[in-house]
């Protein structure tokens, strides 16, 4: 089945105006393909992904070998018909693109038209060398990965579409090899960042008239964490327990309930409701990620808290990508009003003092 899917993707890549990535979305393998590419670039090989890539690759290669001959024949016998078809496919995609890009401005169109003009001038001045073919392979591969963009159309714009087709049909290695290397480099450049889990640390709860709810700092952290988890289809790990001497509901439980209300699937939410401080956050979350073999981790917490949090995770040999939120500083221009005492500035100073003392204590504790 994956061979057939690859064959359809390969055929789509041959036709200017048709996106191979869009075809991958249609046949339902785009996300799986992108994830496999991301793992390959990072030299992480999984048996099922290798089998998937090989099957898909066989189909794509077969489509290119079979389809390139037919496309070359069409271009030689009926070039007007072929280019009319290409032009029609491009024109037909404009309304869909316009609907997807709601904030399209005249400036964007002008930039695109200018680039087209530059490429058109370059086509008549640049000779078909190995270096140029390599560059076109990189550019075409970048276009192939993005749904809606056609790699073949890019080759047509760059003036090498006919040459690449001819090289594929007649196996001209002087062109096929640099183009293939360029495609591999382009895919590596465009490989998306992979994320296994988003870690959100609690920052306190309070009891309101209708029960316990998250404090503003915790709520801001959770909202950002939820958006990241949904974007990357990653696990959401929420960490935070009950303070000593308190009978409150664990804040991780409240965060998990709220995350589900924000449409994060229940099976994607992992809860650590035992931690009472940042050190225990790191200790307990480290057990979760090691048990599930989660590697690419993003840590979400307040900016003022990030240094101590990251240091705690490093103590337990857990590498995280920091994603600070809930900034206390105003990065706008300074004015006289900034020197007037306010409750916000008092809170910011108290939090900063709390973190300084916490960092000193943790450094002494972990020696």
């Amino acid at each position: 089945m994956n061979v057939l899917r690859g064959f359809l993707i390969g055929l789509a890549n041959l036709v200017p105006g048709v996106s191979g990535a869009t075809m991958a979305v249609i046949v339902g393998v785009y996300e799986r393909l992108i994830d496999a590419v991301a793992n390959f670039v990072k030299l992480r090989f999984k048996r099922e992904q290798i089998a998937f890539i090989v099957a898909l690759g066989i189909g794509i290669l077969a489509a290119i070998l079979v389809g390139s001959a037919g496309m070359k024949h069409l271009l030689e016998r009926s070039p007007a018909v072929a280019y009319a078809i290409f032009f029609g496919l491009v024109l037909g995609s404009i309304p869909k693109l316009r609907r997807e890009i709601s904030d399209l401005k005249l400036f964007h169109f002008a930039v695109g038209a200018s680039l087209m003009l530059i490429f058109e001038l370059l086509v008549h001045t640049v000779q078909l060398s190995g270096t140029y073919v390599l560059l076109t392979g990189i550019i075409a591969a970048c276009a192939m990965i993005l749904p809606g963009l056609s790699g073949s159309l890019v080759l047509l714009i760059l003036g090498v579409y006919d040459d690449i087709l001819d090289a594929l049909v007649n196996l001209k290695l002087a062109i096929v090899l640099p183009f293939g290397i360029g495609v591999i480099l382009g895919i590596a450049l465009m490989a998306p960042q992979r994320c296994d889990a988003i870690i959100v640390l609690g920052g306190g709860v309070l009891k309101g008239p209708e029960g316990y709810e998250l404090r503003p700092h915790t709520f801001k952290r959770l909202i950002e964490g939820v958006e990241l988890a949904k974007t990357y289809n990653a696990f959401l790990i929420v960490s935070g327990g009950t303070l000593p001497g308190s009978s409150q509901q664990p804040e991780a439980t409240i965060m998990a309930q709220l995350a589900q209300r924000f449409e994060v699937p229940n099976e994607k939410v992992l809860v650590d409701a035992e931690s009472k401080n940042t050190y225990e956050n790191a200790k307990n979350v480290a057990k979760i990620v090691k048990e599930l073999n989660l590697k690419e981790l993003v840590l979400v917490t307040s900016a003022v808290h990030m240094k101590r949090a990251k240091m705690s995770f490093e103590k337990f040999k857990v590498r995280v990508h920091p994603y600070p939120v809930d900034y206390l500083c105003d990065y706008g221009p300074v004015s006289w009003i900034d020197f007037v005492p306010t409750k916000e500035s008092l809170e910011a100073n108290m939090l900063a003092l709390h973190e300084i003392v916490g960092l000193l204590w943790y450094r002494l504790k972990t020696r």
Side-chain angles (χ1 to χ4, degrees):
M1 193 64 180
N2 285 328
V3 174
L4 178 59
R5 292 184 177 119
F7 191 83
L8 293 173
I9 293 169
L11 285 180
N13 273 320
L14 279 173
V15 182
V18 179
S19 169
T22 300
M23 182 59 71
V25 172
I26 292 170
V27 298
V29 297
Y30 180 74
E31 290 186 2
R32 189 178 171 190
L33 177 60
I34 290 299
D35 187 52
V37 169
N39 277 334
F40 267 63
V41 170
K42 294 180 180 180
L43 301 179
R44 291 179 179 170
F45 305 105
K46 296 181 179 179
R47 183 177 298 174
E48 62 273 15
Q49 287 186 335
I50 293 173
F52 169 71
I53 289 291
V54 169
L56 213 64
I58 290 171
I60 292 172
L61 186 61
I64 289 173
L65 292 175
V66 173
S68 56
M71 194 64 67
K72 185 173 183 293
H73 179 77
L74 179 63
L75 285 169
E76 288 176 347
R77 295 296 179 89
S78 306
V81 173
Y83 284 107
I85 293 171
F86 300 160
F87 190 63
L89 288 168
V90 174
L91 283 180
S93 66
I94 291 175
K96 183 176 184 297
L97 289 173
R98 182 67 186 90
R99 286 194 300 271
E100 291 181 358
I101 309 172
S102 57
D103 59 345
L104 185 65
K105 294 180 174 62
L106 183 61
F107 171 75
H108 301 145
F109 179 79
V111 170
S114 300
L115 288 173
M116 284 286 293
L117 183 60
I118 291 170
F119 283 134
E120 183 63 25
L121 293 173
L122 283 174
V123 165
H124 298 291
T125 57
V126 178
Q127 293 184 345
L128 189 68
S129 63
T131 303
Y132 185 64
V133 171
L134 179 76
L135 290 173
T136 58
I138 293 173
I139 297 170
C142 293
M144 289 173 194
I145 286 181
L146 299 175
L149 288 180
S150 168
S152 295
L153 181 61
V154 170
L155 294 177
L156 197 63
I157 293 168
L158 295 173
V160 296
Y161 181 72
D162 292 353
D163 297 298
I164 297 298
L165 269 185
D166 180 64
L168 288 170
V169 172
N170 298 304
L171 291 178
K172 295 180 179 177
L173 297 182
I175 295 177
V176 172
L177 286 179
F179 180 74
I181 293 170
V183 169
I184 293 170
L185 290 174
I187 291 173
L189 286 172
M190 289 295 291
Q193 294 297 313
R194 180 166 162 267
C195 179
D196 295 325
I198 309 297
I199 303 165
V200 180
L201 304 186
V205 299
L206 56 86
K207 189 170 185 180
E210 299 180 2
Y212 287 103
E213 59 186 59
L214 301 179
R215 289 187 180 274
H217 297 299
T218 312
F219 186 75
K220 291 175 185 176
R221 299 175 189 181
L222 180 65
I223 292 298
E224 293 290 345
V226 164
E227 289 299 320
L228 288 171
K230 290 166 71 173
T231 299
Y232 288 99
N233 191 28
F235 284 105
L236 178 68
I237 304 176
V238 289
S239 177
T242 304
L243 292 175
S246 171
S247 59
Q248 70 182 39
Q249 187 178 7
E251 57 184 329
T253 304
I254 301 173
M255 285 194 284
Q257 293 169 352
L258 195 55
Q260 288 163 27
R261 286 174 59 186
F262 285 123
E263 299 180 345
V264 178
N266 184 49
E267 64 272 12
K268 284 288 188 178
V269 181
L270 306 176
V271 179
D272 157 38
E274 303 297 325
S275 301
K276 298 177 177 61
N277 53 51
T278 305
Y279 187 84
E280 290 185 10
N281 286 141
K283 179 181 179 181
N284 293 329
V285 171
K287 293 178 183 177
I288 295 173
V289 299
K290 288 175 181 176
E291 182 180 341
L292 297 177
N293 195 31
L294 304 175
K295 300 294 184 182
E296 296 298 325
L297 309 169
V298 174
L299 177 63
V300 179
T301 188
S302 300
V304 70
H305 180 233
M306 182 59 76
K307 187 172 184 178
R308 183 159 59 101
K310 188 170 180 288
M311 185 177 75
S312 298
F313 276 89
E314 288 171 350
K315 169 67 179 176
F316 293 98
K317 304 293 189 294
V318 175
R319 188 173 67 88
V320 294
H321 300 286
Y323 192 93
V325 298
D326 185 29
Y327 285 86
L328 300 177
C329 296
D330 183 355
Y331 285 85
V334 177
S335 67
W336 64 269
I337 196 70
D338 294 312
F339 296 95
V340 177
T342 62
K343 64 180 181 65
E344 288 82 8
S345 59
L346 178 61
E347 181 190 16
N349 281 291
M350 289 296 294
L351 287 170
L353 183 61
H354 175 82
E355 286 305 314
I356 290 170
V357 173
L359 278 169
L360 290 173
W361 171 244
Y362 276 36
R363 288 186 189 280
L364 291 171
K365 183 179 179 181
T366 56
R367 278 188 172 180

